[in-house]
């Protein structure tokens, strides 16, 4: 088990270095949870807080929010806002759409190759388009497998 923790921490350390962020104890712990196993994650601040607590990390929810914002500003994550009230944070940095599962309050990746955007409106004068987020709302149908 200690070797796994070391690999997770090293992946987290390398990820922080990609963003030019100083590897503080709390950043390292959160980075290891987010990218330590090599998989991409969609998290909320609350779900990351719960994962940190389950891992024995002592970190406040305010620190989680601040750290997620720092990760986004460093270009390590994207924030996806649903309904203007709930934010999800995605470690996968390529352009891709998401499904928002209304009945589960979670997001998952949608197949980018199936999305076709023909045209994006021009930005207003003095502005530029920086990103287009596509969130497709879905709900399980009656009798569908969970």
């Amino acid at each position: 088990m200690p070797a796994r923790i070391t690999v997770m921490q090293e992946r987290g350390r390398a990820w922080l270095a990609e963003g030019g962020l100083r590897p503080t104890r709390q950043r390292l712990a959160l980075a290891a949870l987010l990218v330590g196993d090599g998989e991409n994650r969609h998290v909320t601040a609350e779900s990351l807080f719960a994962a940190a607590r389950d891992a024995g990390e002592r970190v406040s929810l305010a620190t989680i929010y601040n750290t997620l914002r720092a990760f986004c500003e460093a270009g390590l994550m994207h924030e996806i806002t649903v309904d203007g009230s709930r934010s999800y944070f995605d470690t996968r940095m390529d352009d891709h759409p998401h499904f928002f599962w209304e009945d589960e309050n979670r997001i998952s990746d949608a197949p980018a190759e199936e999305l076709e955007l023909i045209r994006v409106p021009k930005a207003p004068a003095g502005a530029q388009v920086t990103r287009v987020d596509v969130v497709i709302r879905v709900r399980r149908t009656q009798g569908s497998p969970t």
Side-chain angles (χ1 to χ4, degrees):
M1 187 81 145
R4 177 183 158 99
I5 291 171
T6 301
V7 169
M8 290 178 70
Q9 289 173 338
E10 285 308 311
R11 282 185 180 143
R13 184 179 301 281
W15 189 65
L16 291 174
E18 285 176 35
L21 292 175
R22 192 168 52 89
T24 64
R25 181 190 64 79
Q26 290 175 325
R27 283 180 181 165
L28 276 171
L30 296 177
L33 289 170
L34 289 166
V35 300
D37 64 358
E39 299 294 320
N40 286 305
R41 296 272 183 281
H42 298 106
V43 299
T44 62
E46 293 79 8
S47 70
L48 184 57
F49 178 69
R53 303 249 342 214
D54 290 347
E57 295 296 330
R58 294 174 46 142
V59 60
S60 71
L61 186 56
T63 296
I64 298 279
Y65 274 105
N66 292 336
T67 303
L68 286 170
R69 298 267 181 249
F71 290 170
C72 288
E73 289 171 10
L76 297 172
M77 303 183 83
H78 287 298
E79 180 177 8
I80 299 118
T81 304
V82 177
D83 290 336
S85 62
R86 175 156 248 189
S87 288
Y88 295 83
F89 298 87
D90 187 359
T91 59
R92 183 176 158 189
M93 293 301 292
D94 65 314
D95 288 333
H96 63 283
H98 291 93
F99 288 124
F100 174 67
W101 297 85
E102 292 180 326
D103 46 347
E104 300 173 30
N105 285 321
R106 70 176 177 89
I107 64 170
S108 63
D109 294 335
E113 65 278 1
E114 293 180 21
L115 178 68
E116 192 173 324
L117 285 176
I118 296 171
R119 182 174 37 243
V120 175
K122 290 182 183 177
Q128 68 180 19
V129 174
T130 60
R131 182 175 164 87
V132 176
D133 290 323
V134 176
V135 177
I136 305 156
R137 300 175 74 89
V138 295
R139 181 178 297 144
R140 295 209 186 276
T141 56
Q142 293 289 349
S144 66
T146 54

